[in-house]
Amino acid sequence: QSVLTQPPSASGTPGQRVTISCSGSSSNIESNTVNWYQHFPGTAPKFLIYSNHRRPSGVPDRFSGSKSGTSASLAISGLQSEDEAYYYCSTWDDSLNGPVFGGGTKVTVL
Amino acid sequence: EVQLLESGGGLVQPGGSLRLSCAASGFTFKNYAIHWVRQAPGKGLDWVSAISGSGDATYYSASVKGRFTISRDNSKNALYLQMNSLRAEDTAVYYCAKESMVTLGGAIGEMDVWGQGTTVSVSS
């Protein structure tokens, strides 16, 4: 059971907008910034969003992040076939004194 | 180019030991905290341990505390994870990951570069 809760799956057709939620608590999301990672099985995870909404260089602006209270979300607009991957939210947990991850959401492009 | 390369994975019996290494290049290694994150078969990402840039601060998940030891050699740009008393549930791909920011003496959990991973299998 992950400390952060994500839906196991999400899907959309090409061009649609998909949103992934990430629910935590006062000791993690509410107190710290949220990061998102994109992961294709068998490869290194990719740094996608940091500080709740900032994109590292090279990440398309189709990806956006937000946070409110104990929850965060990742939105993918203009969904493309290459976006089919697993997405993980993460943040620092003050009680556990380390980073925690969500269980991951598999995004499928229909 | 910033790179991380893990090594040392393999098959080990329950109760056995293994030492993972992570070779870093392309950045000032001593300035950055580094993490170990694992992914068990069919499961999600699971944080294991972290160490500050200086090596003075270490962090462990509850599931590995007392069994695993993280260390680094800044003169060799290398990170290590000594894993003792291994269990079947430690079977996973182990990634090392660099923090995105220089943090003096600590870690914040924001990981911008990851290695390709090394596979650890614990089985009799």
Side-chain angles (χ1 to χ4, degrees):
Chain A
Q1 196 79 342
S2 302
V3 173
L4 305 180
T5 301
Q6 296 180 236
S9 63
S11 63
T13 56
Q16 276 190 330
R17 175 183 171 95
V18 169
T19 301
I20 301 167
S21 62
C22 176
S23 178
S25 68
S26 58
S27 67
N28 44 65
I29 290 181
E30 189 168 53
S31 308
N32 299 287
T33 58
V34 177
N35 311 301
W36 289 88
Y37 301 91
Q38 179 188 56
H39 190 206
F40 298 98
T43 70
K46 177 183 177 181
F47 192 42
L48 194 66
I49 296 286
Y50 68 102
S51 295
N52 304 326
H53 62 89
R54 300 187 185 279
R55 286 184 305 276
S57 175
V59 173
D61 59 7
R62 304 185 291 103
F63 295 93
S64 61
S66 64
K67 186 187 101 167
S68 178
T70 59
S71 295
S73 64
L74 173 72
I76 310 173
S77 59
L79 192 66
Q80 298 182 5
S81 58
E82 57 260 39
D83 298 333
E84 193 164 281
Y86 290 85
Y87 294 83
Y88 294 88
C89 59
S90 178
T91 187
W92 191 269
D93 191 292
D94 294 333
S95 297
L96 299 175
N97 199 29
V100 289
F101 286 92
T105 299
K106 182 178 182 181
V107 169
T108 302
V109 182
L110 301 171
Chain B
E1 181 188 3
V2 176
Q3 285 191 322
L4 297 170
L5 183 63
E6 305 91 340
S7 61
L11 174 64
V12 61
Q13 291 188 337
S17 298
L18 210 56
R19 189 196 197 204
L20 305 184
S21 299
C22 172
S25 60
F27 64 101
T28 306
F29 184 69
K30 65 180 181 179
N31 286 351
Y32 294 87
I34 309 287
H35 298 258
W36 287 101
V37 178
R38 66 186 179 184
Q39 184 177 34
K43 303 293 185 181
L45 299 177
D46 178 36
W47 175 75
V48 174
S49 182
I51 187 168
S52 64
S54 64
D56 291 342
T58 56
Y59 309 80
Y60 298 95
S61 69
S63 60
V64 307
K65 195 167 187 177
R67 300 188 299 123
F68 291 10
T69 302
I70 191 170
S71 62
R72 64 191 296 160
D73 185 338
N74 287 343
S75 69
K76 295 182 179 179
N77 286 358
L79 173 77
Y80 307 102
L81 186 68
Q82 178 65 44
M83 305 186 295
N84 299 331
S85 302
L86 281 161
R87 307 166 179 165
E89 53 264 36
D90 296 318
T91 294
V93 175
Y94 284 72
Y95 299 97
C96 59
K98 164 192 165 291
E99 286 223 331
S100 63
M101 295 170 49
V102 175
T103 49
L104 300 178
I108 60 172
E110 198 174 274
M111 303 168 223
D112 67 342
V113 178
W114 298 59
Q116 292 295 319
T118 186
T119 301
V120 172
S121 296
V122 184
S123 174
S124 54

